[in-house]
Amino acid sequence: MTADQELQIIVRQGKEPNPTVQDERNSVSSSQAEVSHSNTYKRWLRVTLYTFFVISGQTVATILGRVYYDNGGNSKWLATVVQLVGFPVLLPYYILSFKTHATTDRDGKRTSPRNRVLVYVVLGLLVGADCYLYSIGLLYLPVSTYSLICASQLAFNAFFSYFLNSQKLTPIILNSLFLLTISSTLLAFNNEETDSTKVTKGEYVKGFICTVAASAGYGLVLSLQQLAFLKVLKKQNFSEVMDMIIYVSLVASSVSVVGLFASSEWKTLSSEMDNYKHGKVSYIMNLVWTAVTWQVFSIGGTGLIFELSSLFSNAISVLGLPVVPILAVIIFHDKMNGLKVISMILAIWGFTSYVYQQYLDDKNLKKNHEITTTESPDPPEAEESTWQSK
């Protein structure tokens, strides 16, 4: 064998891939795929749990709010306080779970305390005002009209998300928003007798305007929360979600308590409790469970913003609006008519459309990631093969 033939064999061996290295590559790729699949499964499990929290929390809290007003409650500021003041029930879970959730900064930078406080104060003030407006609307409007106006928060949220969060409004998303809005709009055509006969025309108009303003404010708050997660807090972890809920609720609760005392409504609470139709115990339990269920809703809504987007969180909350009349059939013995059935079907259809869009987005993201991983070279091994060839 000549020297040239020996050199050719050495060069050919240098260019051939090392079986051991190739096996390691395949093992790493398989491991990464398994981790990615596991993370996707856990993510959608969290989304499902948050969705349940939003729908159940909002539905039960709205029913309890109606029960409070129908049985002698009349304090708008107290109804606002109970929407916000229940956040301390989250503290034990927050403390026990904090150590089990890793903190991962997106850009390695810590948010300044001044910016963090500013985020919590601004959002807290907006949430406090928003809850007060919702309390006025629920006092003066029948549930069907109230649900109709609350559905408009989807349009407001889509508007703010387009400018603040760069939300893409695909045809599927637009279809979902349209269906969810129509599903709640149908409730306005319910011709059942309500307690609205006890409300004057001026009070009705006041409730209508306040609920529209509250819906716009809620859409703005959701978009600002998402913007704060991405641009100010810059973290993807459990503690940021809980901090957002707790500190914003603290500021909003403080605002509502100040409003309760400044308006002098606190002076009538004692007589309100005494004259409550189902007694003092029922009065207190109603307020306590209203506070708890609104916190369940808050956890779900903030979690969906964290996992997906503010628009998805809002769509889920609107999905729960037609559920209120369904429960009213059981609790208040309302009649179930065709409009309510159609409303529920459209809501499920709209929700399914939105979930399908999220599925398509995840599928495209995974496909792009696989293409990028396949096309990217391995610099260290390429250099080693070149050296061996030489």
Side-chain angles (χ1 to χ4, degrees):
M1 182 179 294
T2 63
D4 291 341
Q5 291 176 333
E6 292 178 355
L7 179 59
Q8 290 177 2
I9 294 174
I10 294 174
V11 171
R12 190 179 300 111
Q13 290 177 346
K15 291 183 178 180
E16 291 178 353
N18 189 334
T20 303
V21 175
Q22 187 66 30
D23 291 341
E24 291 178 355
R25 288 182 185 176
N26 295 335
S27 177
V28 171
S29 299
S30 177
S31 177
Q32 290 177 347
E34 291 177 359
V35 171
S36 177
H37 179 74
S38 177
N39 290 338
T40 302
Y41 174 78
K42 291 179 180 179
R43 177 170 178 258
W44 280 106
L45 184 62
R46 292 194 300 268
V47 169
T48 303
L49 183 62
Y50 289 144
T51 300
F52 174 75
F53 283 170
V54 168
I55 295 177
S56 61
Q58 176 184 247
T59 302
V60 176
T62 303
I63 291 294
L64 290 176
R66 172 57 60 193
V67 170
Y68 167 75
Y69 285 132
D70 287 349
N71 289 278
N74 196 45
S75 175
K76 298 180 290 292
W77 278 110
L78 181 61
T80 303
V81 170
V82 297
Q83 295 180 49
L84 303 164
V85 79
F87 71 92
V89 301
L90 304 176
L91 293 178
Y93 173 72
Y94 179 42
I95 295 173
L96 292 175
S97 303
F98 181 79
K99 296 181 180 179
T100 63
H101 292 80
T103 300
T104 304
D105 291 353
R106 287 184 177 179
D107 58 359
K109 297 180 180 179
R110 294 181 61 86
T111 305
S112 67
R114 182 178 63 86
N115 291 340
R116 186 178 293 273
V117 170
L118 183 62
V119 167
Y120 296 150
V121 170
V122 171
L123 290 177
L125 292 175
L126 289 175
V127 169
D130 202 52
C131 290
Y132 179 69
L133 293 175
Y134 273 129
S135 297
I136 297 176
L138 189 59
L139 173 63
Y140 294 134
L141 297 179
V143 175
S144 60
T145 305
Y146 178 81
S147 299
L148 159 67
I149 302 173
C150 287
S152 66
Q153 67 195 29
L154 271 175
F156 288 116
N157 188 208
F159 174 79
F160 291 123
S161 294
Y162 179 79
F163 290 101
L164 297 178
N165 310 126
S166 300
Q167 176 71 46
K168 294 181 180 180
L169 300 179
T170 65
I172 296 178
I173 291 180
L174 292 175
N175 176 69
S176 174
L177 299 182
F178 176 77
L179 291 172
L180 288 170
T181 302
I182 292 298
S183 70
S184 295
T185 301
L186 288 176
L187 298 177
F189 297 96
N190 244 348
N191 293 322
E192 294 177 316
E193 294 183 358
T194 64
D195 292 336
S196 60
T197 54
K198 301 179 181 179
V199 178
T200 64
K201 185 176 181 180
E203 291 173 337
Y204 186 91
V205 172
K206 180 180 179 181
F208 185 91
I209 294 175
C210 288
T211 309
V212 170
S215 299
Y218 184 71
L220 176 61
V221 166
L222 291 179
S223 297
L224 289 177
Q225 281 185 332
Q226 184 178 352
L227 183 66
F229 278 132
L230 295 176
K231 301 297 184 181
V232 181
L233 303 178
K234 299 179 180 179
K235 291 183 180 180
Q236 283 272 27
N237 55 58
F238 167 82
S239 63
E240 287 300 335
V241 176
M242 297 302 296
D243 286 344
M244 177 71 75
I245 296 173
I246 291 173
Y247 291 116
V248 169
S249 297
L250 176 62
V251 175
S253 298
S254 301
V255 172
S256 61
V257 170
V258 170
L260 177 63
F261 284 93
S263 64
S264 299
E265 286 188 6
W266 64 276
K267 297 179 181 179
T268 64
L269 296 183
S270 178
S271 60
E272 182 178 285
M273 183 187 301
D274 294 334
N275 298 325
Y276 196 70
K277 186 179 298 185
H278 296 294
K280 296 181 179 180
V281 175
S282 177
Y283 179 84
I284 295 175
M285 293 303 296
N286 179 285
L287 297 178
V288 170
W289 284 109
T290 301
V292 172
T293 51
W294 275 123
Q295 288 307 306
V296 172
F297 169 79
S298 181
I299 293 174
T302 306
L304 288 177
I305 294 173
F306 180 74
E307 295 290 345
L308 294 172
S309 69
S310 62
L311 195 58
F312 184 84
S313 176
N314 208 345
I316 294 300
S317 67
V318 171
L319 172 67
L321 294 177
V323 178
V324 176
I326 302 298
L327 291 181
V329 173
I330 301 174
I331 299 174
F332 303 113
H333 305 291
D334 290 348
K335 294 181 180 180
M336 172 59 68
N337 54 32
L339 285 179
K340 290 181 180 179
V341 174
I342 295 174
S343 176
M344 193 67 183
I345 293 174
L346 290 177
I348 296 174
W349 185 6
F351 169 72
T352 304
S353 298
Y354 206 105
V355 170
Y356 180 66
Q357 179 62 58
Q358 295 297 325
Y359 166 76
L360 292 180
D361 292 342
D362 274 2
K363 186 177 181 180
N364 292 334
L365 182 62
K366 182 179 180 180
K367 183 178 180 181
N368 294 335
H369 177 72
E370 290 177 351
I371 293 175
T372 303
T373 304
T374 303
E375 293 179 351
S376 60
D378 195 338
E381 295 181 3
E383 291 177 3
E384 182 180 359
S385 297
T386 303
W387 179 82
Q388 289 177 354
S389 298
K390 293 179 181 179

